[in-house]
């Protein structure tokens, strides 16, 4: 990372810590216990600026800004000491070490998050440890991005675009799906990106979604769907696109047109104050207009978009029953990804920044049915 990159990380981290301390003061919380592992690291990363690769960890963040990081992998503990300069403890017994740390703190109010992932050994003694659910406190901070954080999301979005160019060039007849993914991973590692969430779909009407690669061989006429989600300085951005191996058929173009309309409708609905439900309904109503309403149900699709930042899939989830309002500076992806009965599973989506009266799109990739 360049010195400018390090300075930007520091600026974003300082801004986050200031917000976290103010939120704790307003909630009258003395300490915050944050859990993290390789997959779900955003809560811990928010307070410590450290991403776990192996094992799991707990961070005790104090209202004065001091942090103690407990990690159950010795190599991770050594790396954390070098990267963070924080107090880091290698704890073979993570729960026992956390209990001892909390009990030494005395009669204080402590919250934990994400509460559903906090080890049961702590939760079952919540009363003794004066432990409460701190999810709402930090979730709001995770959703509402600072301007300082946008720089990293923008860089990740640019690398998502560049990665998709690599993916598209690699999608040739006779290649296996994992070969495409290998080229993407090689590119990202060369760019210093060590984290990238990616799934893929190859085929036609039989394809109901995207999965990890299975060795499927690409052939002429196949739809190839993917979402790329590179992480830069702890922040993710995502792009969803569909391509055809060879020239798209008229039916493929027509079917994809529904997704283009749905994405346009969803993006037009986005602005500060609008709920995630309203964005989802705008997308889904397009499918209903074409008699495809059943394909926006949970049987065929999970969400119509979601928050993105320190985690690739965070709140708010864009669904018709989610009343969370969008706020200015929030970063989300809108994607009407689902199954189309005529051609198979299709995807299309971009990471955006919510603005008071609309949004800013971070991807420069055309929103068309691409060909390889």
């Amino acid at each position: 990372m360049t010195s400018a990159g390090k300075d930007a990380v520091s600026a974003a981290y300082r801004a986050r810590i200031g917000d976290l301390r103010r939120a704790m003061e307003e909630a009258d919380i003395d300490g915050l216990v944050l859990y993290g592992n390789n997959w779900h690291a955003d809560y811990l990363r928010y307070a410590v600026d450290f991403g776990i690769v192996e094992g799991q960890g707990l961070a005790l963040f104090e209202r004065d800004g001091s942090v103690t990081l407990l990690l159950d992998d010795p190599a991770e503990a050594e790396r954390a000491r070098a990267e963070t300069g924080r107090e880091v403890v290698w704890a073979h017994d993570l729960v026992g070490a956390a209990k001892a740390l909390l009990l030494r703190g005395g009669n204080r109010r402590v919250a934990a998050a994400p509460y559903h992932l906090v080890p049961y050994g702590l939760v079952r003694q919540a009363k003794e440890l004066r432990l409460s659910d701190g999810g709402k406190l930090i979730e709001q901070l995770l959703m509402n991005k600072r301007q300082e954080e946008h720089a990293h999301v923008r860089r990740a979005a640019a690398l998502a675009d560049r990665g998709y160019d690599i993916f598209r060039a690699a999608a040739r007849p006779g290649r296996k799906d994992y070969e495409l993914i290998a080229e993407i991973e090689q590119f990202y590692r060369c760019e210093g990106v060590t984290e990238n969430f990616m799934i893929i779909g190859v085929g036609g009407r039989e394809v109901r979604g995207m999965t990890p690669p299975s060795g499927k061989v690409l052939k002429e006429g196949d739809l190839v769907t993917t979402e790329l989600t590179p992480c830069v300085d702890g922040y993710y951005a995502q792009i969803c696109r569909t391509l055809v191996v060879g020239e798209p058929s008229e039916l493929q173009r027509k079917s994809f047109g529904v997704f283009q309309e749905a994405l346009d409708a969803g993006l037009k609905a986005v602005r500060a104050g609008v709920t995630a439900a309203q964005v989802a309904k705008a997308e889904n109503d397009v499918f209903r207009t074409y008699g495809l309403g059943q394909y926006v149900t949970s049987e065929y699709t999970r969400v119509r978009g979601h928050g993105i930042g320190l985690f690739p899939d965070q709140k708010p989830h864009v669904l018709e029953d989610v009343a969370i309002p969008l706020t200015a500076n929030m970063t989300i992806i809108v994607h009407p990804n689902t199954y189309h009965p005529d051609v198979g599973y299709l995807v299309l989506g971009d990471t955006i920044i919510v603005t008071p009266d609309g949004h800013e799109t971070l991807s420069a990739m055309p929103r068309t049915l691409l060909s390889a």
Side-chain angles (χ1 to χ4, degrees):
M1 187 187 300
T2 64
S3 59
K6 290 178 181 177
D7 290 344
V9 171
S10 298
Y13 182 55
R14 286 195 299 270
R16 295 199 314 250
I17 294 311
D19 287 343
L20 185 55
R21 292 179 64 186
R22 282 188 289 274
M24 291 173 68
E25 186 160 350
E26 289 172 7
D28 194 23
I29 297 293
D30 300 302
L32 194 58
V33 176
L34 302 166
Y35 173 84
N37 56 30
N38 176 257
W39 171 239
H40 216 308
D42 49 334
Y43 290 71
L44 184 145
R45 193 174 228 160
Y46 189 94
V48 186
D49 210 25
F50 179 74
I52 295 175
V53 176
E54 299 290 341
Q56 53 188 341
L58 290 164
L60 176 60
F61 184 88
E62 307 282 2
R63 199 193 292 190
D64 65 5
S66 61
V67 184
T68 302
L69 177 59
L70 308 175
L71 296 168
D72 66 1
D73 184 280
E76 286 293 272
E78 185 176 347
R79 182 171 69 88
R81 291 188 191 100
E83 291 185 7
T84 69
R86 299 285 184 175
E87 181 181 354
V88 179
V89 177
W90 169 51
H92 178 69
D93 177 8
L94 192 65
V95 171
K99 283 182 184 176
L101 193 61
L102 290 171
L103 290 171
R104 281 203 302 270
N107 190 28
R108 304 182 308 153
R109 293 192 66 223
V110 182
Y115 206 71
H116 68 286
L117 294 180
V118 173
Y120 180 66
L122 294 179
V123 174
R124 71 181 179 184
Q125 292 185 265
K127 187 173 182 179
E128 177 187 354
L129 299 172
R130 296 177 61 82
L131 205 61
S132 62
D133 187 346
K136 288 185 178 180
L137 181 150
I138 195 165
E139 281 171 5
Q140 200 63 43
L141 297 175
L142 285 165
M143 287 191 290
N144 298 339
K145 302 295 186 300
R146 281 283 199 151
Q147 292 282 352
E148 293 89 341
E149 299 178 273
H150 289 167
H152 309 300
V153 180
R154 291 179 194 279
R155 288 183 59 206
L159 278 167
D161 278 357
R162 291 175 61 194
Y164 193 83
D165 283 334
I166 301 293
F167 179 85
R168 184 181 180 186
R172 301 187 297 273
R175 302 205 76 191
K176 295 180 179 179
D177 54 6
Y178 60 72
E179 292 180 287
L180 279 64
I181 289 179
E183 291 204 24
I184 292 294
E185 289 303 319
Q186 180 184 32
F187 166 72
Y188 280 145
R189 294 304 172 98
C190 290
E191 293 292 327
V193 175
T194 58
E195 299 174 51
N196 169 47
F197 176 75
M198 179 179 181
I199 46 182
I200 189 170
V202 176
R205 290 181 61 191
E206 77 283 1
V207 179
R208 296 297 183 103
M210 295 182 292
T211 64
S214 61
K216 195 161 186 180
V217 178
L218 277 66
K219 64 182 186 302
E220 289 281 346
D222 275 347
L223 289 167
V224 183
T225 56
T226 194
E227 58 184 37
L228 302 181
T229 323
C231 181
V232 174
D233 302 328
Y235 289 88
Y236 294 84
Q238 187 172 91
I239 184 174
C240 302
R241 288 294 186 273
T242 300
L243 64 81
V244 178
V245 182
E247 282 300 310
S249 69
E250 202 54 45
L251 184 59
Q252 287 171 331
R253 291 184 191 277
K254 179 181 177 182
S255 301
F256 191 76
V258 178
F259 289 73
Q260 290 173 305
E261 285 188 42
L263 179 57
D264 286 347
L267 291 175
K268 285 178 183 175
V270 170
R271 64 180 182 279
V274 165
T275 65
Q278 288 172 284
V279 177
K281 186 176 185 303
E283 294 178 78
N284 292 344
D285 280 349
V286 173
F287 287 89
R288 294 179 183 120
T289 297
Y290 286 95
L292 299 169
Q294 72 183 89
Y295 300 103
V296 300
T297 64
S298 59
E299 182 179 356
Y300 291 95
T301 188
R302 188 177 65 88
V303 293
R304 317 307 282 157
H306 50 79
I308 197 162
L310 290 173
F311 189 59
D313 184 7
Q314 63 185 192
K315 293 182 178 180
H317 290 124
V318 181
L319 290 165
E320 290 193 35
D321 61 354
V322 175
I324 295 173
L326 305 186
T327 59
N329 295 322
M330 184 180 281
T331 54
I332 65 173
I333 181 167
V334 178
H335 59 44
N337 302 347
T338 192
Y339 181 73
H340 193 294
D342 290 339
V343 296
Y345 196 79
L346 296 170
V347 305
L348 180 65
D350 284 332
T351 297
I352 63 172
I353 298 174
V354 179
T355 64
D357 56 0
H359 70 278
E360 176 190 352
T361 300
L362 301 187
S363 176
M365 184 67 58
R367 295 177 187 149
T368 57
L369 181 58
L370 301 165
S371 62

